[in-house]
Every structure is written in C-alpha cells, then in structure tokens.
Amino acid sequence: KAGVTQTPRYLIKTRGQQVTLSCSPISGHRSVSWYQQTPGQGLQFLFEYFSETQRNKGNFPGRFSGRQFSNSRSEMNVSTLELGDSALYLCASSLQGENSPLHFGNGTRLTVT
Amino acid sequence: GEDVEQSLFLSVREGDSSVINCTYTDSSSTYLYWYKQEPGAGLQLLTYIFSNMDMKQDQRLTVLLNKKDKHLSLRIADTQTGDSAIYFCAERTGTASKLTFGTGTRLQVTL
C-alpha cells in the first residue's frame, strides 16, 4: 500500500506570494491533518480535515487555509507569504477513530525569500 | 494544557541500549506515540501505546508508560548506526488527529 504522498517536495517562493501544497493520503484513510515544522517552534498542528470538513484548527493566522476533496486528497494554501513561513510542511493521514495512528508523508520544504 | 518535554540529545555506543524519555502534562491523553525522523525525511511511526497500558514491546522497541508520573520512555535494544535520528514523542487527546509533539531527542550512535 502506498504511503502518504506530498507534492512538491521543495518550493521556493518570494514574500507576498501564495503557495498551494498537495497531499494524497493512504488509500482508505479519510482523515488528513497538516503540521508545520520549524527549528524554532518544532512541530505544530495546523488543521485536520475529515469527509471534506475541517474538524480541528490550530493557532495559525487566517493566511493558512486548507481543503479536502471527495477522494480524501487535501491541499493547504498559504497566502501573502512571510519569511517566517519557511518550514517543512507535513501531512498525515489516518483512519477514523482515536485508536488509528497518524502516518506522515515526507513533507514539502517551503523556502520564502 | 498540553506540554510535552524531551531531552535534546543522547549518545550511545553501537550495541548498547538507548532509552529516550518524555514527560507530558495532559492527564486526558488517550494515546502516546513515538516517531523517528531521519535527515530530509518525514516522520516514521515507530510505535504507540494506549494510555491504560503500562508497557508495549515490538521487536527491539519497548515503550514504558507511567501514567501517574506522566512519563513515557522508549527503549531501543542493540542500538545500531541506522537508529541515528531524531525521536519525537507525541500525545493525543480525544478522537481528533491533533498531536502535541515534544521537541525531539537527537540520538547519536557511535562505533
């Protein structure tokens, strides 16, 4: 079974631009969540989607948004990029239920210049 | 509130056992996880334990949970150079997929 796939692997953007990251979950997994990893703040939860609905949201500004499609694939968008948005963005998928562990992709490395 | 703490660095000799420790504050945690991250990669799920268990063993990995002290540990037996990585513990509360991660422990395995 294929794992969580994130595209692209690397992105370089300029301040003020916007960016869209994509995540394909493991087949059969309907929950997709996103995390930001930076050296200073560590791993922080962005949001979770289940059945095309945002189920939970972390403490990030409204510039960070996401959506989920009917096939469970998810995208996250960051608008008006800031230098501080440079990070590794990780997507995780799981089956429904608290006893279903999260499986992570290899991430998208975003650099904002 | 939720807070997870880990020591930053651990160095062990190849063949020895490694013990990575983690403390958490949220007593309503349901599951606790251990993830491994190698350079340039995402998070690899190693193992996880339900909060009403004391111990879980999976090949070279042993997880111990002291719920009273909110202390979690990961023991890696016969540590190999391929085990060199950053190890994160994480807690989950409720059914949501929101995990609170520790700062990560960098494990260095020396010959």
Side-chain angles (χ1 to χ4, degrees):
Chain A
K1 195 182 254 191
V4 178
T5 304
Q6 291 188 246
T7 56
R9 285 282 278 137
Y10 302 94
L11 267 177
I12 300 175
K13 291 287 188 179
T14 305
R15 269 181 304 175
Q17 288 186 314
Q18 75 163 13
V19 67
T20 300
L21 313 182
S22 180
C23 172
S24 293
I26 292 172
S27 178
H29 286 193
R30 293 169 62 194
S31 170
V32 174
S33 50
W34 290 87
Y35 289 78
Q36 182 197 63
Q37 185 177 27
T38 60
Q41 299 297 316
L43 282 151
Q44 293 187 288
F45 172 78
L46 279 156
F47 28 63
E48 177 199 1
Y49 286 87
F50 180 80
S51 292
E52 301 179 65
T53 302
Q54 188 180 85
R55 192 157 71 169
N56 210 343
K57 190 176 188 308
N59 294 325
F60 279 82
R63 300 186 296 108
F64 291 81
S65 63
R67 59 178 176 168
Q68 186 181 33
F69 302 95
S70 57
N71 61 357
S72 295
R73 192 177 69 84
S74 177
E75 289 180 347
M76 68 163 280
N77 184 276
V78 188
S79 63
T80 320
L81 284 165
E82 300 176 1
L83 295 179
D85 297 332
S86 294
L88 180 66
Y89 289 89
L90 293 163
C91 169
S93 75
S94 68
L95 294 167
Q96 185 182 7
E98 63 177 5
N99 61 345
S100 300
L102 275 66
H103 297 269
F104 285 81
N106 280 327
T108 294
R109 171 76 61 186
L110 172 65
T111 302
V112 182
T113 62
Chain B
E2 303 157 344
D3 193 19
V4 180
E5 293 189 359
Q6 299 178 241
S7 53
L8 291 179
F9 184 77
L10 176 66
S11 180
V12 299
R13 286 189 169 219
E14 188 178 41
D16 288 350
S17 291
S18 307
V19 179
I20 302 171
N21 295 300
C22 171
T23 57
Y24 61 98
T25 57
D26 194 335
S27 58
S28 59
S29 296
T30 53
Y31 282 87
L32 295 132
Y33 302 84
W34 284 104
Y35 286 90
K36 174 185 180 183
Q37 187 175 38
E38 296 182 81
L43 301 176
Q44 174 192 350
L45 176 67
L46 290 177
T47 186
Y48 60 103
I49 188 168
F50 185 45
S51 59
N52 71 352
M53 295 171 63
D54 298 324
M55 187 184 89
K56 181 178 180 181
Q57 189 152 0
D58 186 358
Q59 298 182 327
R60 293 191 298 124
L61 305 178
T62 302
V63 178
L64 294 177
L65 175 60
N66 182 328
K67 196 170 182 180
K68 174 176 167 288
D69 294 337
K70 298 189 184 70
H71 182 265
L72 181 74
S73 68
L74 174 70
R75 178 178 179 268
I76 305 172
D78 187 25
T79 311
Q80 301 298 307
T81 54
D83 294 324
S84 293
I86 300 176
Y87 291 80
F88 292 92
C89 68
E91 64 172 349
R92 183 176 194 170
T93 306
T95 59
S97 292
K98 178 186 176 185
L99 301 184
T100 300
F101 284 88
T103 51
T105 299
R106 181 178 296 276
L107 174 64
Q108 177 181 274
V109 181
T110 58
L111 298 174

